[in-house]
Amino acid sequence: MRALIVEDEPELMSFLSSLLLGAGFIVDRTSSVEAALAALKTAPFDIAVVDRRLPDGDGLSIVKAMKATEPRPAFLILTARDAKSDVIDGLNGGADDYLVKPFEPGELIARIRVIARRRYPGRSLVITAGNLSIDIEGRNASVSAVPLDLRRREALILEALVQRAGRVVTRNVLIEAVYGFDDLIESNTLEAQISRLRRKLKEAAANVEISSLRGIGYILRKSEQPV
Ligand code: CA
């Protein structure tokens, strides 16, 4: 899943990003209302963690501005004040949840998972293709219940492919699912990750494989000759 952090205090920003990166999110960072709205218009985010006090206004105005937009991310508002009115404003303004600073890291992650789950009702948290399964919350992949050792981006690529198993996934869709704005993407990076994934799937005797469609993208399907 892809998260946008909107926070103007550098220390809190780096704390929040390492927390979310550690929880398996793709993370983008912005520090103003204006930059956040521009980011939200450019890429699909699942979650936005938004501070209220931003240099160019109230973070809640981002939530309000996105209210009628579909798809919109789930919003978690951070507030330094625990005044009841702040919390009520936040929820009335369309936020999905709020957290009062300072907060426990574990609580932030737990709340993000709750709103993410609410956002995708009925979506199973374990997705499968053949003997491969991925727990998209913990981002653990396994083949016939044996865990696969994947790097973070490999797991995200595999998740995007398994969610669309049997269908073509374009390079752009994969890149959007896996990289943030600030990531430097070299032209062969995705290909290198796909080839590592192929090797790992093969070594684990997965009965699915990733095929390339030259110039278009990739497709995950059943292996023609199961290993
Ligand atoms: Ca602030």
Side-chain angles (χ1 to χ4, degrees):
M1 283 197 278
R2 187 163 177 175
L4 179 69
I5 305 175
V6 192
E7 170 61 67
D8 60 317
E9 289 156 50
E11 268 182 32
L12 187 54
M13 172 61 94
S14 79
F15 173 71
L16 286 169
S17 22
S18 56
L19 205 59
L20 288 172
L21 284 168
F25 287 87
I26 292 300
V27 176
D28 281 298
R29 308 158 187 87
T30 53
S31 53
S32 68
V33 171
E34 196 190 346
L37 288 173
L40 290 167
K41 278 180 199 141
T42 313
F45 287 95
D46 300 290
I47 302 279
V49 178
V50 179
D51 182 31
R52 279 204 68 170
R53 288 185 186 179
L54 295 167
D56 58 344
D58 184 344
L60 203 52
S61 65
I62 300 167
V63 183
K64 288 178 181 156
M66 293 295 291
K67 212 167 182 177
T69 312
E70 283 300 334
R72 62 190 277 285
F75 286 99
L76 177 78
I77 297 292
L78 298 179
T79 170
R81 300 159 289 177
D82 59 350
K84 270 258 155 56
S85 63
D86 243 42
V87 168
I88 293 166
D89 277 2
L91 297 175
N92 280 346
D96 298 83
D97 202 357
Y98 68 91
L99 207 51
V100 177
K101 295 193 259 185
F103 51 83
E104 291 293 322
E107 185 174 10
L108 176 83
I109 297 298
R111 291 209 188 202
I112 283 179
R113 292 206 161 126
V114 168
I115 57 179
R117 217 175 289 146
R118 214 189 285 148
R119 203 171 124 75
Y120 298 110
R123 192 210 255 192
S124 167
L125 294 175
V126 178
I127 50 177
T128 60
N131 59 359
L132 168 69
S133 66
I134 303 181
D135 173 348
I136 60 173
E137 224 181 349
R139 199 149 277 140
N140 304 306
S142 53
V143 172
S144 306
V146 179
L148 272 181
D149 181 19
L150 299 182
R151 297 187 196 176
R152 194 171 63 93
R153 290 198 211 279
E154 292 167 3
L156 287 163
I157 292 171
L158 195 57
E159 176 186 323
L161 289 168
V162 171
Q163 272 172 340
R164 302 165 183 82
R167 284 181 286 154
V168 177
V169 186
T170 63
R171 274 190 106 241
N172 283 348
V173 165
L174 279 183
I175 287 171
E176 267 188 356
V178 177
Y179 297 95
F181 297 131
D182 300 334
D183 292 323
L184 185 67
I185 310 165
E186 296 188 9
S187 61
N188 61 350
T189 309
L190 184 64
E191 284 65 29
Q193 279 159 338
I194 296 268
S195 81
R196 273 200 301 272
L197 265 176
R198 282 186 174 132
R199 198 190 62 231
K200 290 179 182 181
L201 289 172
K202 197 170 177 200
E203 282 168 4
N207 59 8
V208 289
E209 64 186 11
I210 302 168
S211 315
S212 326
L213 298 159
R214 214 180 166 75
I216 305 173
Y218 298 92
I219 182 167
L220 182 98
R221 53 187 165 202
K222 287 235 166 202
S223 311
E224 281 164 17
Q225 292 170 310
V227 243

